[in-house]
């Protein structure tokens, strides 16, 4: 008899099983001849190919319903099945309603769905599957960093990597570090705040705090990367247009086994005193054709912030 294992991803198993397995048991009531064994995030199935496929479609549909609401109930199970459409030998046959909703990357806080919304965001998700190093370039507001962080959080949740490391060069955009109050960490935190904000959208505050205290998630200035070998890690370098060619080389050569690197930047927003010192564009020209490295150029059409942002970017580009 056919057997199959379904692995629940990007969702807490209890959201699908329900308290005391109430939801999963109700779902099983639709399948009299299918043996279902749920354990942790794995569901073992034994039965006909048709029942196995229908059950898996039902689980996928339940997962998408859960993205839209805080809690599932047995009515949600009933809603994904159409009316009984025929009877054979006294047994009911059901089909699951199709769902063409765009696949998400990760489910964030309060049921927020983080998904690739634009052409180049989707390209970033696609290239992630086949490339270990990706350069994502483009103007502000295109979601390049946010999408990269979503991919990193998903990889961490799926245990594809052991650590998530986010880094930025601590380069001032009009205000000197020395003028800011506090110790070194307090001086640097404002430069890293966009990374904290993105993570806060995807991971519960207490869980995020715990992961950072354990070193599973690390957010640090680029200078702190020197001398490290980053294995089994998902590493993101943000604002890479503010790195020199030497700094970019230093960062890229930190890559260890089973690691994914994404470099994001906007070559029109270089904050270095001498813009010619930026190594991002030079580095891409040197590395862009190497197999295993992808380069994605985001454009104003990818901007997902306020509609005025794309007009502002276009106006500055003309100048």
């Amino acid at each position: 008899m056919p057997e199959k294992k379904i692995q629940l991803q990007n969702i807490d198993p209890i959201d699908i099983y329900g308290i005391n397995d109430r939801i999963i048991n109700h779902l099983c009531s639709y399948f009299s001849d299918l043996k279902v064994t749920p354990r942790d995030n794995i569901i073992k199935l034994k039965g006909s190919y048709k029942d196995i496929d229908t059950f898996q479609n039902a689980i996928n549909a339940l997962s998408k319903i859960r993205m839209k609401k805080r809690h599932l109930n047995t009515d949600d199970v009933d809603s994904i099945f159409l009316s009984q459409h025929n009877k054979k030998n006294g047994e009911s046959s059901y089909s699951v309603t199709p769902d063409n909703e765009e696949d998400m990357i990760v489910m964030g806080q309060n049921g927020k769905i983080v998904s690739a919304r634009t052409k180049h965001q989707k390209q970033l998700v696609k290239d992630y599957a086949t490339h270990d190093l990706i350069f994502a370039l483009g103007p502000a507001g295109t979601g390049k960093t946010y999408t990269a962080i979503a991919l990193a959080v998903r990889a961490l949740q799926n245990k594809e990597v052991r650590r998530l490391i986010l880094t930025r060069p601590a380069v001032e955009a009009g205000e000197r570090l020395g003028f800011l109050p506090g110790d070194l960490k307090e001086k640097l935190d404002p430069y890293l705040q966009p990374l904290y904000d993105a993570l806060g959208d995807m991971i519960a505050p207490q869980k995020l705090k715990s992961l950072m205290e354990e070193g599973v998630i690390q957010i640090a200035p680029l200078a702190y990367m020197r001398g490290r070998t980053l294995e089994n890690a998902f590493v993101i370098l943000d604002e890479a247009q503010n790195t020199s060619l030497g700094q970019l080389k230093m960062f890229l050569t930190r890559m260890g086994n089973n690691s994914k690197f994404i470099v994001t930047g906007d070559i029109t927003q270089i904050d270095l005193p001498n813009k010619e010192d930026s190594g991002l564009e030079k580095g891409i020209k040197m590395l862009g054709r190497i197999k295993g490295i992808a380069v994605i150029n985001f454009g104003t059409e990818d901007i997902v912030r306020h509609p005025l942002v794309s007009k502002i970017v276009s106006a500055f580009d003309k100048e």
Side-chain angles (χ1 to χ4, degrees), residues 15-264:
D15 288 344
I16 296 295
Y17 300 159
I19 302 299
N20 297 322
D21 290 340
R22 183 184 177 192
I23 295 173
I24 194 74
N25 288 339
H26 187 66
L27 176 59
C28 290
S29 69
Y30 281 90
F31 301 87
S32 58
D33 296 325
L34 183 67
K35 183 178 180 181
V36 181
T37 308
R39 179 171 296 176
D40 297 325
N41 68 330
I42 301 292
I43 303 175
K44 296 181 179 179
L45 305 175
K46 187 174 182 179
S48 68
Y49 287 114
K50 181 179 179 181
D51 280 350
I52 288 174
D53 288 344
T54 304
F55 188 93
Q56 183 163 13
N57 289 338
I59 289 293
N60 293 339
L62 279 176
S63 297
K64 290 186 176 182
I65 293 173
R66 171 59 183 84
M67 296 174 204
K68 302 174 184 177
K69 56 187 295 188
R70 293 182 65 86
H71 302 290
L72 294 174
N73 54 47
T74 54
D75 289 340
D76 295 316
V77 175
D78 296 332
S79 73
I80 65 174
F81 288 90
L82 296 172
S83 300
Q84 178 178 342
H85 61 80
N86 62 41
K87 289 185 177 182
K88 292 182 179 179
N89 301 321
E91 294 182 353
S92 299
S93 177
Y94 301 88
S95 63
V96 179
T97 57
D99 192 334
N100 296 322
E101 183 177 301
E102 182 183 44
D103 290 339
M104 71 169 186
I105 301 174
V106 70
M107 185 168 65
Q109 285 298 290
N110 301 318
K112 178 179 180 180
I113 301 170
V114 181
S115 59
R117 297 165 56 185
T118 72
K119 174 184 176 181
H120 290 104
Q121 288 178 12
K122 293 175 184 178
Q123 186 64 46
L124 178 54
V125 175
K126 181 180 178 181
D127 284 350
Y128 164 77
T130 54
H131 297 77
D132 289 337
L133 172 58
I134 301 173
F135 289 92
L137 313 175
T142 52
K144 53 191 183 296
T145 300
Y146 199 82
T147 304
I149 291 177
L151 286 169
V153 170
R154 185 181 72 180
L156 192 63
Q157 291 178 347
N158 292 346
K159 295 181 170 50
E160 297 170 16
V161 295
R162 295 178 185 171
R163 291 182 295 169
L164 168 52
I165 301 171
L166 311 177
T167 185
R168 276 182 144 199
V171 176
E172 304 91 344
E175 186 174 16
R176 297 295 179 185
L177 276 171
F179 295 159
L180 297 176
D183 58 20
L184 180 60
K185 182 182 183 302
E186 292 170 326
K187 289 176 184 289
L188 291 170
D189 272 353
Y191 296 94
L192 305 174
Q193 191 60 47
L195 305 180
Y196 288 109
D197 291 343
L199 285 171
D201 279 354
M202 303 173 204
I203 303 176
Q206 285 301 116
K207 180 66 173 177
L208 178 57
K209 181 180 179 182
S210 174
L211 291 172
M212 293 184 69
E213 288 175 349
E214 295 168 5
V216 176
I217 294 180
Q218 302 172 23
I219 303 178
L222 179 61
Y224 287 26
M225 297 297 106
R226 188 175 295 278
R228 303 181 66 180
T229 299
L230 305 176
E231 295 188 341
N232 297 303
F234 196 124
V235 189
I236 298 173
L237 170 59
D238 191 32
E239 299 290 349
Q241 75 275 5
N242 290 326
T243 62
S244 67
L245 192 59
Q247 288 174 315
L248 184 62
K249 177 185 176 183
M250 179 274 291
F251 170 76
L252 296 177
T253 53
R254 303 306 94 203
M255 182 181 285
N257 294 322
N258 191 38
S259 287
K260 292 277 190 175
F261 274 42
I262 296 182
V263 178
T264 68

